[in-house]
Amino acid sequence: MKFKDNIPIYLQIKQYLYRQIIIGKLKPGARIPSVRNLALQLTVNVNTVQRALQQMNDEGILYTKRGEGNFVTEDTELLAQTKQNLLNAELKKFVQNMNELGVANEQIGSILAKYLAKGE
């Protein structure tokens, strides 16, 4: 995973794990890799991974079973809300980029429809 300099690494790890959950690579109830394995896989400090996982535990996206590790929540409503939040964040970035290019909000829908119709 390549990290961006302007965003704290633990937040990028959270985003990575959210995406893994949303796209189904980490299914509800699935055990996620250990903190050490994630740190090795992502080439980051163990404490950075632990911070990301702790926040996800606090949010309810993950839960911990003592001695077994961290698991993805089985709360489908929470997972659906998390997916919607992720989609909203991506849409916000997209709209901001379009606005910076001089595209008014009213034009974005038709521009996107034309783009999708071309199949690009």
Side-chain angles (χ1 to χ4, degrees), residues 31 64-71:
R31 183 179 183 273
T64 302
K65 287 185 181 177
R66 190 177 197 91
E68 293 184 45
N70 290 293
F71 295 81

PDB file of all heavy atoms in Angstrom, residues 31 64-71:
ATOM      1  N   ARG A  31     -12.462 -12.877  10.687  1.00  0.00           N
ATOM      2  CA  ARG A  31     -11.309 -12.448  11.479  1.00  0.00           C
ATOM      3  C   ARG A  31     -10.387 -11.670  10.556  1.00  0.00           C
ATOM      4  O   ARG A  31     -10.089 -12.119   9.445  1.00  0.00           O
ATOM      5  CB  ARG A  31     -10.584 -13.658  12.059  1.00  0.00           C
ATOM      6  CG  ARG A  31      -9.419 -13.304  12.948  1.00  0.00           C
ATOM      7  CD  ARG A  31      -8.771 -14.584  13.509  1.00  0.00           C
ATOM      8  NE  ARG A  31      -7.712 -14.275  14.410  1.00  0.00           N
ATOM      9  CZ  ARG A  31      -6.452 -14.054  14.042  1.00  0.00           C
ATOM     10  NH1 ARG A  31      -6.108 -14.119  12.780  1.00  0.00           N
ATOM     11  NH2 ARG A  31      -5.540 -13.768  14.938  1.00  0.00           N
ATOM     12  N   THR A  64     -13.455  -7.187  19.206  1.00  0.00           N
ATOM     13  CA  THR A  64     -12.342  -8.022  19.633  1.00  0.00           C
ATOM     14  C   THR A  64     -12.847  -9.180  20.459  1.00  0.00           C
ATOM     15  O   THR A  64     -13.692  -9.008  21.339  1.00  0.00           O
ATOM     16  CB  THR A  64     -11.340  -7.191  20.466  1.00  0.00           C
ATOM     17  OG1 THR A  64     -10.891  -6.095  19.688  1.00  0.00           O
ATOM     18  CG2 THR A  64     -10.151  -8.030  20.903  1.00  0.00           C
ATOM     19  N   LYS A  65     -12.328 -10.372  20.150  1.00  0.00           N
ATOM     20  CA  LYS A  65     -12.550 -11.539  21.003  1.00  0.00           C
ATOM     21  C   LYS A  65     -11.221 -11.795  21.706  1.00  0.00           C
ATOM     22  O   LYS A  65     -10.199 -12.018  21.052  1.00  0.00           O
ATOM     23  CB  LYS A  65     -12.931 -12.765  20.170  1.00  0.00           C
ATOM     24  CG  LYS A  65     -14.319 -12.727  19.607  1.00  0.00           C
ATOM     25  CD  LYS A  65     -14.627 -14.056  18.910  1.00  0.00           C
ATOM     26  CE  LYS A  65     -16.004 -14.056  18.294  1.00  0.00           C
ATOM     27  NZ  LYS A  65     -16.257 -15.319  17.554  1.00  0.00           N
ATOM     28  N   ARG A  66     -11.261 -11.740  23.007  1.00  0.00           N
ATOM     29  CA  ARG A  66     -10.043 -11.896  23.799  1.00  0.00           C
ATOM     30  C   ARG A  66      -9.303 -13.179  23.403  1.00  0.00           C
ATOM     31  O   ARG A  66      -9.873 -14.261  23.388  1.00  0.00           O
ATOM     32  CB  ARG A  66     -10.398 -11.913  25.281  1.00  0.00           C
ATOM     33  CG  ARG A  66      -9.213 -11.838  26.192  1.00  0.00           C
ATOM     34  CD  ARG A  66      -9.692 -11.780  27.642  1.00  0.00           C
ATOM     35  NE  ARG A  66      -8.656 -11.330  28.502  1.00  0.00           N
ATOM     36  CZ  ARG A  66      -8.441 -10.059  28.835  1.00  0.00           C
ATOM     37  NH1 ARG A  66      -9.204  -9.130  28.352  1.00  0.00           N
ATOM     38  NH2 ARG A  66      -7.468  -9.736  29.662  1.00  0.00           N
ATOM     39  N   GLY A  67      -8.036 -13.022  23.042  1.00  0.00           N
ATOM     40  CA  GLY A  67      -7.198 -14.159  22.692  1.00  0.00           C
ATOM     41  C   GLY A  67      -7.398 -14.668  21.275  1.00  0.00           C
ATOM     42  O   GLY A  67      -6.677 -15.555  20.833  1.00  0.00           O
ATOM     43  N   GLU A  68      -8.367 -14.135  20.552  1.00  0.00           N
ATOM     44  CA  GLU A  68      -8.632 -14.607  19.185  1.00  0.00           C
ATOM     45  C   GLU A  68      -8.351 -13.556  18.128  1.00  0.00           C
ATOM     46  O   GLU A  68      -8.085 -13.888  16.986  1.00  0.00           O
ATOM     47  CB  GLU A  68     -10.082 -15.074  19.066  1.00  0.00           C
ATOM     48  CG  GLU A  68     -10.381 -16.307  19.888  1.00  0.00           C
ATOM     49  CD  GLU A  68     -11.798 -16.786  19.669  1.00  0.00           C
ATOM     50  OE1 GLU A  68     -12.242 -16.835  18.509  1.00  0.00           O
ATOM     51  OE2 GLU A  68     -12.468 -17.102  20.667  1.00  0.00           O
ATOM     52  N   GLY A  69      -8.492 -12.282  18.476  1.00  0.00           N
ATOM     53  CA  GLY A  69      -8.211 -11.230  17.509  1.00  0.00           C
ATOM     54  C   GLY A  69      -9.397 -10.329  17.250  1.00  0.00           C
ATOM     55  O   GLY A  69     -10.364 -10.294  18.011  1.00  0.00           O
ATOM     56  N   ASN A  70      -9.310  -9.605  16.138  1.00  0.00           N
ATOM     57  CA  ASN A  70     -10.350  -8.654  15.741  1.00  0.00           C
ATOM     58  C   ASN A  70     -11.188  -9.239  14.617  1.00  0.00           C
ATOM     59  O   ASN A  70     -10.659  -9.901  13.712  1.00  0.00           O
ATOM     60  CB  ASN A  70      -9.708  -7.347  15.269  1.00  0.00           C
ATOM     61  CG  ASN A  70      -9.089  -6.579  16.409  1.00  0.00           C
ATOM     62  OD1 ASN A  70      -9.780  -6.088  17.282  1.00  0.00           O
ATOM     63  ND2 ASN A  70      -7.768  -6.479  16.406  1.00  0.00           N
ATOM     64  N   PHE A  71     -12.481  -8.940  14.667  1.00  0.00           N
ATOM     65  CA  PHE A  71     -13.432  -9.470  13.699  1.00  0.00           C
ATOM     66  C   PHE A  71     -14.301  -8.342  13.157  1.00  0.00           C
ATOM     67  O   PHE A  71     -14.562  -7.355  13.850  1.00  0.00           O
ATOM     68  CB  PHE A  71     -14.331 -10.521  14.368  1.00  0.00           C
ATOM     69  CG  PHE A  71     -13.574 -11.736  14.821  1.00  0.00           C
ATOM     70  CD1 PHE A  71     -12.872 -11.726  16.015  1.00  0.00           C
ATOM     71  CD2 PHE A  71     -13.561 -12.889  14.046  1.00  0.00           C
ATOM     72  CE1 PHE A  71     -12.172 -12.839  16.440  1.00  0.00           C
ATOM     73  CE2 PHE A  71     -12.856 -14.009  14.460  1.00  0.00           C
ATOM     74  CZ  PHE A  71     -12.154 -13.986  15.658  1.00  0.00           C
TER      75      PHE A  71
END
